[in-house]
Amino acid sequence: MRAAEKFPQRPALSAQGKTLIYGELRELACRIAATIQAHTEFSATPLTAVFAYRTPAAFAGALGALLAGNGYVPLNRTFPLQRTQAMLERSECRSLVVDLESLPQLQAILPGLQTPLLIVIPDLPDKVDAGALQAQWPLHCFVGSQALHPADAWRQPAVHDDSIAYLLFTSGSTGIPKGVMVAQRNVMAFVDYMVERYLITENDRLSQMFDMTFDLSAFDMFVAWERGALLCCPSQKTLINPGRYIRDMQLTVWFSVPSTIAFMKQLGILNSNQYPSLRISLFCGAPLPVSSAAAWLAAAPNSILENLYGPTELTISCTLYRWDSVRSPGEAELGIVPIGYPYPGMSVLVADQNLNEVRPGAEGELLMNGPQMSLGYWQDAEKTAAAFVIPPGKTGTYYRTGDRVRRDTDGVVFHEGRLDDDIKVRGIRVSPGEVEAQLCGHPEVAAAAVVGTPVGDHTAMVAYVVPRGTADSAVLAPGILRHLRAHSPRHLVPARVTVVPELVYTASGKVDRRRTHETYATVHCATGR
């Protein structure tokens, strides 16, 4: 961390009501890294899991993993335990950093784990005995705050450009999450461009609205810490009123999903000149309506606003569009802001179903390559080969985004929707197949179909289920929702569930999700919220 050497006394992180200066954050991260390095018996994989949520230990854990020479695998205690255990097992992590608040959930997972783990608890209070945990779980090695190795024991690891920086699990069509391997060089290409584009300095204060299991969180962390800026992480409770957080923290850089604008509109906290401290406002993860962009800039008149686009496989964001109040309303399509132009070094290919480039102005699938293209999927050569391809007439590998786009003669890219059935829920790409697999895991569900439907400025996910035998829909639908909440993260729980007698199928025998939705949209259902 060059910034820690240059600005050791400047604030680096505000989280959980605490502020760490760069010197403190670096020391804690180095102690975690040195501890991981010292326990060489737990170095079977190049990954360290971070089971922590919006705490200093979460951010120090991610940094500690990187300083140890590993990539980090973020886990989230708000996710169901079965999913967390599956992600931990699939990543094959042998070392894990956990914060105090997540420790109870970890202990609920440990009985199902058969592989020894190094478990580092950097915020374990002095009065809590790590030895008691060790006695309770002898298979694993527990290290509390007092037993962390000293910072000066840390040694610079040998890290290559293709070393994994982080592994993020995304929704999978088979019901099994895919682990996206993002390399060091991918992140550095992104960060180097962004800090220069936005002229980030040590005086900036960046929001951290995204959980670490969402790749957009990497922007906030690494762009801030590259230039000695302050990363401001609100608590889950504080997120209820983001406007107050902007004012209280005097944020200068804001980054969120576009639906936050609609949420703030509803709260009545998006009034004229309400957030004068903001100089950069970024939105990503879902379509940005023109009305939302205009409303935000009225509330943050000193801010530049940009619309960003990018799947996890292309490292955080890979195209952007800067809003201009005079020009942009005319460039928008159907009231939606374009996704703009590719980042430096990133190539755009708009292709037909045979992966041949279409003429300018025609719709096609967006394929991209360049320094931000990730390594592929963790231990899944088949999915990697299907998504990372060499199109006809090209020599390089391109990632197939599955997004339908149009690129005009000026090079501006417009997002027209998905080619597959994937749904964006609060900025997170969700495969209906994964949700359907969870639904069919309920003992009383014979078949299921999941579809996205517009609700105001965002997309809601709705589910239609066919029961096994006879069932009282008034009882079954709420029971299904309880089942999903117990086994799936919040973004994989539909907004509503409707019990139907049968699904609608195509001529080839596949479920027709859209026609099923059109057939039953007005039927009484149970709500998931």
Side-chain angles (χ1 to χ4, degrees), residues 268-325:
I269 56 174
L270 209 60
N271 302 318
S272 178
N273 200 31
Q274 201 157 6
Y275 310 112
S277 69
L278 292 176
R279 68 177 191 88
I280 302 291
S281 298
L282 308 175
F283 296 93
C284 189
L288 175 63
V290 168
S291 58
S292 293
W296 184 269
L297 281 181
N302 301 322
S303 179
I304 292 169
L305 185 149
E306 291 196 334
N307 184 36
L308 277 54
Y309 159 87
T312 303
E313 291 86 346
L314 294 175
T315 312
I316 306 168
S317 63
C318 54
T319 74
L320 50 77
Y321 177 90
R322 180 163 293 189
W323 175 265
D324 180 277
S325 58

Side-chain angles (χ1 to χ4, degrees), residues 319 342 346-350 357 366-369 398 407 413:
T319 74
M346 297 299 292
S347 298
V348 167
L349 176 66
V350 183
E357 188 169 11
L366 175 61
L367 281 69
M368 293 188 71
N369 79 348
Y398 284 69
R407 195 181 197 190
V413 180

Side-chain angles (χ1 to χ4, degrees), residues 8 52 89 196 213 218 239 247 310 315 343 365 412 441 457 492 496:
E89 290 176 334
E196 291 297 332
T213 47
L239 288 173
R247 293 193 303 272
T315 312
Y343 286 23
E365 181 181 2
V412 180
D457 288 341
L492 294 182
R496 62 179 187 263

Side-chain angles (χ1 to χ4, degrees), residues 54 59 206-210 216-217 220-221 231-234:
R54 295 187 172 273
F59 297 101
L206 282 73
S207 66
Q208 176 62 287
M209 300 298 291
F210 303 105
L216 298 182
S217 65
D220 304 308
M221 290 191 291
L231 179 66
C232 302
C233 180

